Amino acid sequence: MNVAELRAQLEEDLTWRLDELRHLRNRLLGSDSESDWSVSSMRAILVMQYAHLEGFTRNAFALYVAVINSHQVTAAQLKPQLLAAALGVEFDALRKNKGETEDEDEDEGKLTRRARNHVSFLQRLQELTSGHLEIAAETAISMEMNLGRDVLRRCLYMLAIPMDEVSRAQYNSIEFVKNSRNDIAHGSRKERISTGMFKAHTVKCEQFMNDLARIITSATARQLFLSTPGEAAKK
């Protein structure tokens, strides 16, 4: 996948998401003055906005991982964060110290399982360093928690994209939408959201998705995933 193809896929995904959000806002709020915007309508829009925010972020990062894999580079050619991302499952096994099956957990003691997991980790490391590296997107961009500041920063770091390419205001907007969505889902946000705050975060979140498409495209063009940018192009 080249830069133009990546950009086209990002724009296609972004376009339908923004169109759906704007259609929802027009249907729920379009005929009313701002002072008459209903609490339930704004809450529904915030929940949908969060869904698209997380969905687009996940898809954008997955496309970036696909780009990295398409270069068929070795572990030595990649930034160490990408090697760590490729070893995510093995790191998790070391941390949890679990066997591959429940039977192993029952039959083996804790120390034996730990030794076995250490050996499995090294075997996997040898596999990764002896050929082309393949990164599993679901491991590299794991969002086991809701998309917020910390999850986003972790994903950027694991993909070797500078975290400061996302502005503080954008991080804050994502955190606001995440917390609002959680509060609504848990039934704890029933009060009216000010129209000014609602509009500001709506604009910032849409801008974030546009900016993320630009960041991913730029990272691909600059080959930020390589320890020596430009090396893949020489192959």
Side-chain angles (χ1 to χ4, degrees):
M1 187 189 307
N2 59 36
V3 175
E5 292 169 336
L6 170 67
R7 182 68 193 187
Q9 290 195 46
L10 288 169
E11 289 180 351
E12 180 181 2
D13 188 41
L14 179 60
T15 297
W16 81 265
R17 293 180 187 279
L18 294 182
D19 284 347
E20 183 166 277
L21 287 170
R22 287 164 187 159
H23 176 73
L24 184 63
R25 284 199 299 272
N26 288 337
R27 290 296 299 269
L28 295 180
L29 306 175
S31 61
D32 299 329
S33 63
E34 289 186 13
S35 60
D36 294 329
W37 283 358
S38 73
V39 174
S40 59
S41 292
M42 288 191 286
R43 289 167 68 222
I45 291 167
L46 282 173
V47 170
M48 182 62 76
Q49 181 173 286
Y50 173 81
H52 280 304
L53 191 65
E54 180 177 300
F56 180 74
T57 301
R58 186 187 301 273
N59 188 53
F61 286 147
L63 286 172
Y64 187 58
V65 171
V67 167
I68 297 171
N69 288 336
S70 71
H71 280 81
Q72 294 189 323
V73 294
T74 65
Q77 293 174 298
L78 288 174
K79 297 273 181 65
Q81 295 97 309
L82 277 306
L83 179 56
L87 287 165
V89 172
E90 287 71 27
F91 280 129
D92 195 47
L94 288 176
R95 179 174 60 84
K96 295 179 179 178
N97 195 31
K98 288 186 176 181
E100 293 183 2
T101 67
E102 290 184 7
D103 289 340
E104 282 187 9
D105 282 343
E106 292 177 1
D107 295 341
E108 291 185 331
K110 180 172 65 175
L111 296 180
T112 305
R113 282 200 306 276
R114 181 176 298 148
R116 189 184 297 278
N117 284 332
H118 286 176
V119 172
S120 295
F121 177 82
L122 290 175
Q123 287 175 331
R124 178 61 176 151
L125 184 60
Q126 286 178 326
E127 291 173 5
L128 291 175
T129 55
S130 63
H132 296 147
L133 193 71
E134 190 78 15
I135 300 169
E138 61 271 18
T139 302
I141 58 172
S142 173
M143 292 185 187
E144 65 277 0
M145 300 170 62
N146 294 149
L147 176 66
R149 182 188 293 108
D150 193 33
V151 170
L152 177 58
R153 287 173 66 87
R154 173 196 176 277
C155 289
L156 290 169
Y157 177 75
M158 293 303 292
L159 295 175
I161 298 174
M163 290 178 283
D164 60 5
E165 297 212 359
V166 174
S167 71
R168 177 177 296 181
Q170 289 169 327
Y171 281 119
N172 290 340
S173 291
I174 291 170
E175 197 72 12
F176 170 81
V177 174
K178 180 200 73 172
N179 290 336
S180 297
R181 178 262 186 192
N182 288 343
D183 289 346
I184 291 167
H186 299 151
S188 58
R189 179 180 282 276
K190 299 177 182 178
E191 74 279 6
R192 180 177 179 80
I193 301 166
S194 73
T195 56
M197 179 179 291
F198 173 81
K199 289 166 61 180
H201 286 288
T202 295
V203 170
K204 287 178 183 177
C205 286
E206 289 193 7
Q207 185 61 52
F208 166 75
M209 288 191 277
N210 276 291
D211 286 347
L212 183 60
R214 174 188 54 77
I215 289 168
I216 295 294
T217 304
S218 174
T220 299
R222 291 182 287 163
Q223 297 185 331
L224 293 183
F225 49 89
L226 294 177
S227 56
T228 304
E231 172 134 355
K234 299 176 184 177
K235 292 178 62 180

